[in-house]
Amino acid sequence: METYLFHDTQLDLAAEGIKRGELVAFPTETVYGLGADALNEDAVKNVYLAKGRPSDNPLIVHVSSKEMVWQYAVGESEMVRSLMDAFWPGPLTLIFSVRPDSLLSKTVTGGLDTAAFRMPNHPLSLALISQVNTPLVGPSANTSGKPSPTTAEHVLHDLKGKIYGVLDGGKSNVGIESTVLDLSQPQSPTILRPGIITAEELEAVIGPVYLDANLSSETEAPRAPGMKYKHYSPDVPVIMVEGDTTVWNRAIQTYQAKGYRVGVLGNKQLLDKLSHLEFEGYELSTKRDVIDAMAHLFDGLRALDTQFVGSQGIILAETYPEIEQGIAFMNRLKKAANQTFFSK
Ligand code: TXA
Ligand code: MG
Protein backbone atom coordinates (compact mmCIF):
# COMPACT_ATOMS: atom_id res chain seq x y z
CA MET A 1 0.00 0.00 0.00
CA GLU A 2 1.26 3.47 -0.84
CA THR A 3 1.37 5.75 2.23
CA TYR A 4 0.64 9.42 1.54
CA LEU A 5 2.22 12.32 3.40
CA PHE A 6 -0.51 14.97 3.75
CA HIS A 7 0.33 18.60 4.50
CA ASP A 8 -1.95 20.82 6.58
CA THR A 9 -3.54 22.15 3.38
CA GLN A 10 -4.60 18.58 2.54
CA LEU A 11 -6.65 17.96 5.67
CA ASP A 12 -9.67 17.15 3.45
CA LEU A 13 -7.86 14.20 1.88
CA ALA A 14 -6.93 12.84 5.31
CA ALA A 15 -10.53 13.25 6.55
CA GLU A 16 -12.00 11.61 3.43
CA GLY A 17 -9.65 8.65 3.91
CA ILE A 18 -10.72 8.15 7.53
CA LYS A 19 -14.41 8.39 6.56
CA ARG A 20 -13.80 5.58 4.05
CA GLY A 21 -12.33 3.44 6.84
CA GLU A 22 -8.64 4.07 6.13
CA LEU A 23 -5.95 4.65 8.77
CA VAL A 24 -4.35 8.11 8.85
CA ALA A 25 -1.79 9.10 11.48
CA PHE A 26 -2.28 12.61 12.87
CA PRO A 27 -0.21 15.04 14.94
CA THR A 28 -1.06 15.87 18.54
CA GLU A 29 0.82 17.92 21.13
CA THR A 30 2.00 14.73 22.88
CA VAL A 31 2.92 12.24 20.13
CA TYR A 32 1.45 11.26 16.74
CA GLY A 33 -1.69 9.09 16.93
CA LEU A 34 -2.80 6.39 14.49
CA GLY A 35 -6.23 7.69 13.53
CA ALA A 36 -9.27 5.67 12.54
CA ASP A 37 -13.03 6.17 12.88
CA ALA A 38 -13.79 4.94 16.42
CA LEU A 39 -17.26 3.76 15.29
CA ASN A 40 -15.94 1.60 12.44
CA GLU A 41 -15.16 -1.90 13.72
CA ASP A 42 -13.06 -2.97 10.70
CA ALA A 43 -10.99 0.22 10.75
CA VAL A 44 -10.31 -0.14 14.48
CA LYS A 45 -9.27 -3.78 14.01
CA ASN A 46 -6.84 -2.64 11.32
CA VAL A 47 -5.24 -0.24 13.81
CA TYR A 48 -4.26 -3.21 16.00
CA LEU A 49 -2.94 -5.07 12.94
CA ALA A 50 -0.87 -2.15 11.61
CA LYS A 51 0.77 -1.57 15.00
CA GLY A 52 1.08 -5.23 15.93
CA ARG A 53 -0.75 -4.26 19.13
CA PRO A 54 -2.07 -6.92 21.55
CA SER A 55 -5.88 -6.97 21.33
CA ASP A 56 -6.42 -6.64 25.10
CA ASN A 57 -4.86 -3.16 25.08
CA PRO A 58 -7.69 -0.62 24.65
CA LEU A 59 -7.40 2.55 22.59
CA ILE A 60 -7.92 6.22 23.47
CA VAL A 61 -10.93 7.90 21.84
CA HIS A 62 -10.02 11.40 20.63
CA VAL A 63 -12.76 14.02 20.62
CA SER A 64 -12.92 17.59 19.31
CA SER A 65 -15.24 18.89 22.05
CA LYS A 66 -16.08 18.10 25.66
CA GLU A 67 -19.73 17.40 24.76
CA MET A 68 -18.73 14.66 22.32
CA VAL A 69 -17.66 12.46 25.27
CA TRP A 70 -21.18 12.17 26.69
CA GLN A 71 -22.52 10.54 23.52
CA TYR A 72 -20.42 7.52 24.48
CA ALA A 73 -19.76 7.66 28.22
CA VAL A 74 -21.41 8.44 31.54
CA GLY A 75 -19.89 10.17 34.55
CA GLU A 76 -20.34 13.91 34.09
CA SER A 77 -19.98 15.72 37.41
CA GLU A 78 -18.74 18.98 38.90
CA MET A 79 -15.30 17.37 39.37
CA VAL A 80 -15.14 16.26 35.74
CA ARG A 81 -16.23 19.66 34.47
CA SER A 82 -13.50 21.38 36.47
CA LEU A 83 -10.87 18.93 35.17
CA MET A 84 -11.96 19.46 31.58
CA ASP A 85 -12.03 23.23 32.05
CA ALA A 86 -8.52 23.20 33.52
CA PHE A 87 -6.81 20.72 31.19
CA TRP A 88 -8.77 20.27 27.94
CA PRO A 89 -7.79 20.53 25.23
CA GLY A 90 -4.52 19.08 26.51
CA PRO A 91 -2.38 16.08 27.48
CA LEU A 92 -4.85 14.50 29.92
CA THR A 93 -6.81 11.33 29.10
CA LEU A 94 -9.90 10.58 31.19
CA ILE A 95 -11.43 7.13 31.66
CA PHE A 96 -15.19 6.84 32.09
CA SER A 97 -17.77 4.04 32.08
CA VAL A 98 -19.13 3.41 28.60
CA ARG A 99 -22.83 4.13 27.94
CA PRO A 100 -24.84 0.95 27.35
CA ASP A 101 -26.08 2.40 24.03
CA SER A 102 -22.62 3.63 22.94
CA LEU A 103 -21.85 3.23 19.23
CA LEU A 104 -18.10 2.87 19.85
CA SER A 105 -16.57 -0.14 18.15
CA LYS A 106 -16.34 -2.98 20.70
CA THR A 107 -12.70 -3.37 19.76
CA VAL A 108 -11.89 0.12 21.05
CA THR A 109 -12.30 -0.88 24.67
CA GLY A 110 -10.68 -4.31 24.37
CA GLY A 111 -13.67 -5.84 26.15
CA LEU A 112 -13.67 -3.42 29.14
CA ASP A 113 -16.79 -1.51 30.22
CA THR A 114 -14.77 1.70 30.41
CA ALA A 115 -13.20 3.84 27.69
CA ALA A 116 -10.46 6.48 27.61
CA PHE A 117 -11.12 9.94 26.13
CA ARG A 118 -8.84 12.80 25.20
CA MET A 119 -9.26 16.18 23.52
CA PRO A 120 -5.84 16.92 22.01
CA ASN A 121 -4.44 20.44 22.03
CA HIS A 122 -3.41 20.62 18.39
CA PRO A 123 -5.27 22.59 15.73
CA LEU A 124 -4.82 19.91 13.06
CA SER A 125 -6.12 17.03 15.18
CA LEU A 126 -9.11 19.07 16.35
CA ALA A 127 -9.87 20.10 12.75
CA LEU A 128 -9.51 16.52 11.54
CA ILE A 129 -11.90 15.12 14.16
CA SER A 130 -14.42 17.91 13.46
CA GLN A 131 -14.26 17.28 9.74
CA VAL A 132 -14.66 13.50 10.05
CA ASN A 133 -17.41 14.24 12.57
CA THR A 134 -16.89 11.07 14.62
CA PRO A 135 -14.37 10.45 17.39
CA LEU A 136 -11.05 8.96 16.29
CA VAL A 137 -9.05 6.25 17.99
CA GLY A 138 -5.43 7.28 18.28
CA PRO A 139 -2.91 4.95 19.83
CA SER A 140 0.61 6.24 19.38
CA ALA A 141 1.48 5.73 15.69
CA ASN A 142 4.51 3.47 16.21
CA THR A 143 5.07 -0.23 15.81
CA SER A 144 4.06 -1.76 19.15
CA GLY A 145 7.06 -1.80 21.51
CA LYS A 146 9.00 0.99 19.75
CA PRO A 147 9.37 4.60 20.97
CA SER A 148 6.29 6.71 20.23
CA PRO A 149 6.59 9.00 17.18
CA THR A 150 7.01 12.74 17.61
CA THR A 151 7.36 13.57 13.89
CA ALA A 152 5.71 12.44 10.66
CA GLU A 153 9.07 10.91 9.66
CA HIS A 154 9.02 8.66 12.74
CA VAL A 155 5.54 7.46 11.73
CA LEU A 156 6.68 6.69 8.17
CA HIS A 157 9.73 4.85 9.51
CA ASP A 158 7.47 2.40 11.38
CA LEU A 159 4.27 2.27 9.34
CA LYS A 160 5.07 3.15 5.72
CA GLY A 161 3.25 0.70 3.46
CA LYS A 162 0.85 -0.31 6.24
CA ILE A 163 -1.37 2.78 6.51
CA TYR A 164 -3.12 5.15 4.09
CA GLY A 165 -1.40 8.33 5.21
CA VAL A 166 0.19 10.68 7.72
CA LEU A 167 -0.98 14.22 8.29
CA ASP A 168 2.18 16.25 8.88
CA GLY A 169 1.91 18.77 11.71
CA GLY A 170 5.59 19.19 12.53
CA LYS A 171 7.13 18.15 15.82
CA SER A 172 4.95 17.16 18.79
CA ASN A 173 6.05 19.53 21.53
CA VAL A 174 5.23 17.58 24.72
CA GLY A 175 7.05 14.51 23.41
CA ILE A 176 5.56 11.75 25.60
CA GLU A 177 2.00 10.43 25.84
CA SER A 178 -0.76 11.98 27.93
CA THR A 179 -1.38 11.45 31.63
CA VAL A 180 -4.13 8.79 31.96
CA LEU A 181 -6.56 9.40 34.84
CA ASP A 182 -9.18 6.77 35.67
CA LEU A 183 -12.45 8.41 36.75
CA SER A 184 -14.63 5.32 36.40
CA GLN A 185 -14.66 5.13 40.22
CA PRO A 186 -15.21 8.83 40.95
CA GLN A 187 -14.39 8.53 44.69
CA SER A 188 -10.82 7.55 43.84
CA PRO A 189 -9.43 9.28 40.73
CA THR A 190 -6.33 7.24 39.86
CA ILE A 191 -3.37 7.95 37.58
CA LEU A 192 -2.76 4.86 35.45
CA ARG A 193 -0.02 6.39 33.28
CA PRO A 194 2.07 9.41 34.32
CA GLY A 195 2.49 12.26 31.85
CA ILE A 196 3.41 15.93 31.74
CA ILE A 197 0.33 16.80 33.83
CA THR A 198 1.36 15.78 37.34
CA ALA A 199 -0.58 14.44 40.33
CA GLU A 200 0.07 17.77 42.11
CA GLU A 201 -1.46 19.74 39.24
CA LEU A 202 -4.54 17.49 39.21
CA GLU A 203 -4.85 17.68 43.01
CA ALA A 204 -4.84 21.46 42.88
CA VAL A 205 -8.09 21.20 40.91
CA ILE A 206 -9.91 18.14 42.32
CA GLY A 207 -8.25 17.18 45.63
CA PRO A 208 -6.69 13.78 46.38
CA VAL A 209 -5.52 11.73 43.40
CA TYR A 210 -4.19 8.16 43.69
CA LEU A 211 -1.39 6.45 41.79
CA ASP A 212 -1.93 3.00 40.31
CA ALA A 213 -0.02 0.62 42.60
CA ASN A 214 1.89 -0.64 39.56
CA LEU A 215 3.64 2.72 39.18
CA SER A 216 5.51 2.29 42.46
CA SER A 217 5.72 -1.51 42.65
CA GLU A 218 6.85 -3.68 39.78
CA THR A 219 4.95 -6.68 41.17
CA GLU A 220 1.49 -5.07 41.00
CA ALA A 221 -0.47 -5.65 37.78
CA PRO A 222 -1.21 -2.31 36.05
CA ARG A 223 -4.83 -1.23 35.59
CA ALA A 224 -3.99 0.27 32.18
CA PRO A 225 -3.37 -2.87 30.13
CA GLY A 226 -0.84 -1.02 27.95
CA MET A 227 1.46 -0.41 30.89
CA LYS A 228 2.36 -4.09 31.18
CA TYR A 229 3.94 -4.39 27.77
CA LYS A 230 7.52 -3.86 26.72
CA HIS A 231 7.68 -0.33 25.45
CA TYR A 232 9.73 2.43 23.91
CA SER A 233 12.65 0.15 23.08
CA PRO A 234 14.96 1.00 20.22
CA ASP A 235 16.78 -1.93 18.60
CA VAL A 236 20.00 -1.23 20.49
CA PRO A 237 20.13 -1.64 24.30
CA VAL A 238 19.59 1.37 26.56
CA ILE A 239 21.35 1.73 29.93
CA MET A 240 20.56 4.43 32.50
CA VAL A 241 23.54 6.18 34.06
CA GLU A 242 23.15 7.88 37.42
CA GLY A 243 26.03 9.92 38.79
CA ASP A 244 28.71 12.51 38.18
CA THR A 245 31.20 12.89 35.33
CA THR A 246 33.49 10.24 36.85
CA VAL A 247 30.69 7.67 36.67
CA TRP A 248 29.90 8.71 33.10
CA ASN A 249 33.54 8.42 32.07
CA ARG A 250 33.65 4.93 33.48
CA ALA A 251 30.37 3.95 31.83
CA ILE A 252 31.44 5.12 28.38
CA GLN A 253 34.88 3.48 28.67
CA THR A 254 33.41 0.23 29.98
CA TYR A 255 31.15 -0.21 26.95
CA GLN A 256 33.80 0.94 24.50
CA ALA A 257 36.15 -1.68 25.90
CA LYS A 258 33.46 -4.26 25.20
CA GLY A 259 33.39 -3.18 21.55
CA TYR A 260 30.26 -1.05 21.59
CA ARG A 261 29.71 2.21 19.75
CA VAL A 262 28.35 4.41 22.51
CA GLY A 263 25.53 6.94 22.21
CA VAL A 264 24.80 9.40 25.00
CA LEU A 265 21.41 11.02 25.67
CA GLY A 266 22.08 13.90 28.01
CA ASN A 267 21.95 17.61 28.65
CA LYS A 268 24.37 20.01 26.96
CA GLN A 269 26.64 20.49 29.96
CA LEU A 270 27.07 16.76 30.43
CA LEU A 271 27.90 16.25 26.75
CA ASP A 272 30.41 19.11 26.91
CA LYS A 273 32.11 17.65 29.99
CA LEU A 274 32.50 14.30 28.25
CA SER A 275 33.67 15.72 24.94
CA HIS A 276 37.22 14.33 25.33
CA LEU A 277 35.72 10.84 24.83
CA GLU A 278 34.45 9.35 21.62
CA PHE A 279 30.67 8.87 21.47
CA GLU A 280 27.59 9.92 19.52
CA GLY A 281 25.91 12.63 21.60
CA TYR A 282 22.25 13.61 21.44
CA GLU A 283 21.30 16.72 23.40
CA LEU A 284 18.13 16.03 25.42
CA SER A 285 18.03 19.52 26.88
CA THR A 286 20.17 22.62 27.11
CA LYS A 287 19.92 23.19 30.84
CA ARG A 288 18.97 19.84 32.37
CA ASP A 289 15.30 20.67 32.30
CA VAL A 290 13.04 17.63 32.55
CA ILE A 291 10.25 19.08 30.38
CA ASP A 292 12.77 19.83 27.65
CA ALA A 293 14.33 16.36 28.07
CA MET A 294 10.88 14.77 27.82
CA ALA A 295 10.23 16.59 24.55
CA HIS A 296 13.35 15.04 23.00
CA LEU A 297 13.53 11.59 24.61
CA PHE A 298 11.79 9.53 21.90
CA ASP A 299 13.46 11.44 19.07
CA GLY A 300 16.83 10.85 20.76
CA LEU A 301 16.24 7.11 21.15
CA ARG A 302 15.21 6.86 17.51
CA ALA A 303 18.04 9.08 16.19
CA LEU A 304 20.79 7.08 17.94
CA ASP A 305 19.16 3.80 16.98
CA THR A 306 19.23 4.86 13.32
CA GLN A 307 22.89 5.92 13.57
CA PHE A 308 23.82 2.51 14.95
CA VAL A 309 22.13 0.40 12.26
CA GLY A 310 24.60 -2.25 11.14
CA SER A 311 26.94 -1.79 14.10
CA GLN A 312 26.98 -2.86 17.74
CA GLY A 313 25.64 0.21 19.47
CA ILE A 314 24.48 1.01 22.99
CA ILE A 315 22.65 4.07 24.32
CA LEU A 316 23.55 5.54 27.72
CA ALA A 317 20.94 7.93 29.09
CA GLU A 318 20.90 10.42 31.94
CA THR A 319 18.26 10.08 34.66
CA TYR A 320 16.11 12.65 36.46
CA PRO A 321 14.77 12.66 40.04
CA GLU A 322 11.38 10.94 40.23
CA ILE A 323 9.36 13.96 41.27
CA GLU A 324 6.76 15.98 39.35
CA GLN A 325 7.33 15.56 35.57
CA GLY A 326 10.42 13.46 36.37
CA ILE A 327 8.03 10.61 37.24
CA ALA A 328 6.74 10.48 33.67
CA PHE A 329 10.20 10.92 32.13
CA MET A 330 11.64 8.08 34.22
CA ASN A 331 8.59 5.86 33.59
CA ARG A 332 9.34 5.97 29.83
CA LEU A 333 13.12 5.80 30.17
CA LYS A 334 13.03 2.84 32.57
CA LYS A 335 10.87 0.91 30.13
CA ALA A 336 13.16 1.78 27.23
CA ALA A 337 16.11 0.58 29.34
CA ASN A 338 14.30 -2.49 30.60
CA GLN A 339 15.03 -1.14 34.13
CA THR A 340 18.80 -1.43 33.63
CA PHE A 341 21.19 0.97 35.39
CA PHE A 342 24.94 1.14 34.89
CA SER A 343 26.46 -0.26 38.06
CA LYS A 344 29.56 1.57 39.14
O1 TXA B 1 -0.89 11.20 24.31
C1 TXA B 1 -1.55 10.17 24.07
O2 TXA B 1 -2.31 9.69 24.90
C2 TXA B 1 -1.36 9.53 22.70
C3 TXA B 1 -1.81 10.55 21.65
C4 TXA B 1 -1.75 10.02 20.24
O3 TXA B 1 -3.10 11.02 21.96
N1 TXA B 1 -2.10 8.29 22.60
C5 TXA B 1 -1.72 7.16 23.27
O4 TXA B 1 -2.53 6.07 23.08
O5 TXA B 1 -0.75 7.08 23.99
P1 TXA B 1 -2.13 4.57 23.44
O6 TXA B 1 -3.24 3.76 22.86
O7 TXA B 1 -0.77 4.26 22.96
O8 TXA B 1 -2.21 4.48 24.99
C6 TXA B 1 -3.43 4.31 25.67
C7 TXA B 1 -3.16 3.88 27.11
C8 TXA B 1 -2.74 2.43 27.16
O9 TXA B 1 -1.80 2.26 28.21
C9 TXA B 1 -4.05 1.73 27.49
O10 TXA B 1 -3.85 0.49 28.12
C10 TXA B 1 -4.74 2.74 28.39
O11 TXA B 1 -4.39 4.00 27.86
N2 TXA B 1 -6.20 2.61 28.34
C11 TXA B 1 -7.03 2.88 27.31
N3 TXA B 1 -8.31 2.62 27.63
C12 TXA B 1 -8.31 2.18 28.90
C13 TXA B 1 -9.31 1.74 29.81
N4 TXA B 1 -10.59 1.71 29.46
N5 TXA B 1 -8.93 1.35 31.05
C14 TXA B 1 -7.61 1.39 31.42
N6 TXA B 1 -6.63 1.81 30.60
C15 TXA B 1 -6.95 2.17 29.36
MG1 MG C 1 1.58 3.71 22.76
Side-chain angles (χ1 to χ4, degrees), residues 244-245 249 267-277 279:
D244 58 16
T245 329
N249 270 297
N267 73 83
K268 182 171 188 312
Q269 278 168 305
L270 175 71
L271 298 179
D272 287 348
K273 279 190 205 146
L274 298 171
S275 60
H276 58 286
L277 297 172
F279 61 88

Short mmCIF file of all heavy atoms in Angstrom, two decimals, residues 244-245 249 267-277 279:
data_model
loop_
_atom_site.label_atom_id
_atom_site.label_comp_id
_atom_site.label_asym_id
_atom_site.label_seq_id
_atom_site.Cartn_x
_atom_site.Cartn_y
_atom_site.Cartn_z
N ASP A 244 27.94 11.36 38.66
CA ASP A 244 28.71 12.51 38.18
C ASP A 244 29.56 12.15 36.97
O ASP A 244 29.50 11.03 36.45
CB ASP A 244 29.56 13.08 39.32
CG ASP A 244 30.50 12.01 39.88
OD1 ASP A 244 30.69 10.98 39.20
OD2 ASP A 244 31.04 12.21 40.99
N THR A 245 30.39 13.09 36.54
CA THR A 245 31.20 12.89 35.33
C THR A 245 32.12 11.67 35.45
O THR A 245 32.37 10.99 34.45
CB THR A 245 32.06 14.15 35.04
OG1 THR A 245 31.33 15.27 35.53
CG2 THR A 245 32.30 14.30 33.58
N ASN A 249 32.29 8.82 32.73
CA ASN A 249 33.54 8.42 32.07
C ASN A 249 33.70 6.91 32.10
O ASN A 249 34.01 6.27 31.11
CB ASN A 249 34.73 9.05 32.79
CG ASN A 249 35.09 10.40 32.22
OD1 ASN A 249 35.46 10.50 31.05
ND2 ASN A 249 34.93 11.45 33.00
N ASN A 267 22.06 16.17 28.81
CA ASN A 267 21.95 17.61 28.65
C ASN A 267 23.28 18.17 28.12
O ASN A 267 24.31 17.51 28.14
CB ASN A 267 21.53 18.28 29.96
CG ASN A 267 22.63 18.30 30.98
OD1 ASN A 267 23.49 19.18 30.97
ND2 ASN A 267 22.66 17.31 31.86
N LYS A 268 23.22 19.41 27.65
CA LYS A 268 24.37 20.01 26.96
C LYS A 268 25.62 20.02 27.83
O LYS A 268 26.70 19.65 27.36
CB LYS A 268 24.01 21.42 26.51
CG LYS A 268 25.12 22.11 25.74
CD LYS A 268 24.66 23.40 25.13
CE LYS A 268 25.71 23.99 24.20
NZ LYS A 268 27.05 24.04 24.77
N GLN A 269 25.46 20.40 29.09
CA GLN A 269 26.64 20.49 29.96
C GLN A 269 27.32 19.15 30.12
O GLN A 269 28.54 19.04 30.11
CB GLN A 269 26.24 21.00 31.34
CG GLN A 269 26.11 22.50 31.40
CD GLN A 269 25.44 22.89 32.70
OE1 GLN A 269 24.35 22.40 33.00
NE2 GLN A 269 26.09 23.74 33.46
N LEU A 270 26.51 18.10 30.29
CA LEU A 270 27.07 16.76 30.43
C LEU A 270 27.85 16.38 29.17
O LEU A 270 29.00 15.93 29.23
CB LEU A 270 25.95 15.73 30.70
CG LEU A 270 26.41 14.28 30.76
CD1 LEU A 270 27.22 14.01 32.02
CD2 LEU A 270 25.22 13.32 30.70
N LEU A 271 27.23 16.60 28.01
CA LEU A 271 27.90 16.25 26.75
C LEU A 271 29.20 17.02 26.60
O LEU A 271 30.22 16.47 26.17
CB LEU A 271 26.97 16.52 25.56
CG LEU A 271 25.66 15.73 25.52
CD1 LEU A 271 24.83 16.11 24.30
CD2 LEU A 271 25.92 14.22 25.53
N ASP A 272 29.19 18.30 27.01
CA ASP A 272 30.41 19.11 26.91
C ASP A 272 31.51 18.55 27.82
O ASP A 272 32.67 18.46 27.41
CB ASP A 272 30.12 20.57 27.31
CG ASP A 272 29.34 21.30 26.23
OD1 ASP A 272 29.24 20.75 25.11
OD2 ASP A 272 28.82 22.40 26.51
N LYS A 273 31.11 18.16 29.04
CA LYS A 273 32.11 17.65 29.99
C LYS A 273 32.72 16.33 29.54
O LYS A 273 33.81 15.97 29.97
CB LYS A 273 31.46 17.44 31.36
CG LYS A 273 31.32 18.72 32.17
CD LYS A 273 30.89 18.37 33.58
CE LYS A 273 30.18 19.53 34.25
NZ LYS A 273 29.12 19.09 35.15
N LEU A 274 32.00 15.61 28.69
CA LEU A 274 32.50 14.30 28.25
C LEU A 274 33.17 14.38 26.88
O LEU A 274 33.54 13.35 26.31
CB LEU A 274 31.33 13.31 28.18
CG LEU A 274 30.61 13.03 29.50
CD1 LEU A 274 29.35 12.21 29.23
CD2 LEU A 274 31.53 12.28 30.47
N SER A 275 33.31 15.60 26.35
CA SER A 275 33.67 15.72 24.94
C SER A 275 35.06 15.19 24.59
O SER A 275 35.37 15.01 23.43
CB SER A 275 33.51 17.16 24.46
OG SER A 275 34.37 17.98 25.24
N HIS A 276 35.90 14.91 25.62
CA HIS A 276 37.22 14.33 25.33
C HIS A 276 37.09 12.85 24.94
O HIS A 276 38.03 12.25 24.45
CB HIS A 276 38.13 14.46 26.56
CG HIS A 276 37.56 13.81 27.79
ND1 HIS A 276 36.51 14.35 28.50
CD2 HIS A 276 37.86 12.63 28.39
CE1 HIS A 276 36.21 13.54 29.51
NE2 HIS A 276 37.00 12.50 29.46
N LEU A 277 35.91 12.25 25.18
CA LEU A 277 35.72 10.84 24.83
C LEU A 277 35.02 10.73 23.48
O LEU A 277 34.43 11.70 22.99
CB LEU A 277 34.85 10.14 25.89
CG LEU A 277 35.46 10.09 27.28
CD1 LEU A 277 34.43 9.55 28.28
CD2 LEU A 277 36.71 9.22 27.28
N PHE A 279 32.04 9.44 21.41
CA PHE A 279 30.67 8.87 21.47
C PHE A 279 29.78 9.71 20.57
O PHE A 279 30.16 10.79 20.14
CB PHE A 279 30.14 8.87 22.91
CG PHE A 279 30.04 10.24 23.53
CD1 PHE A 279 28.90 11.01 23.36
CD2 PHE A 279 31.10 10.78 24.26
CE1 PHE A 279 28.80 12.29 23.92
CE2 PHE A 279 31.01 12.05 24.81
CZ PHE A 279 29.86 12.81 24.64
#
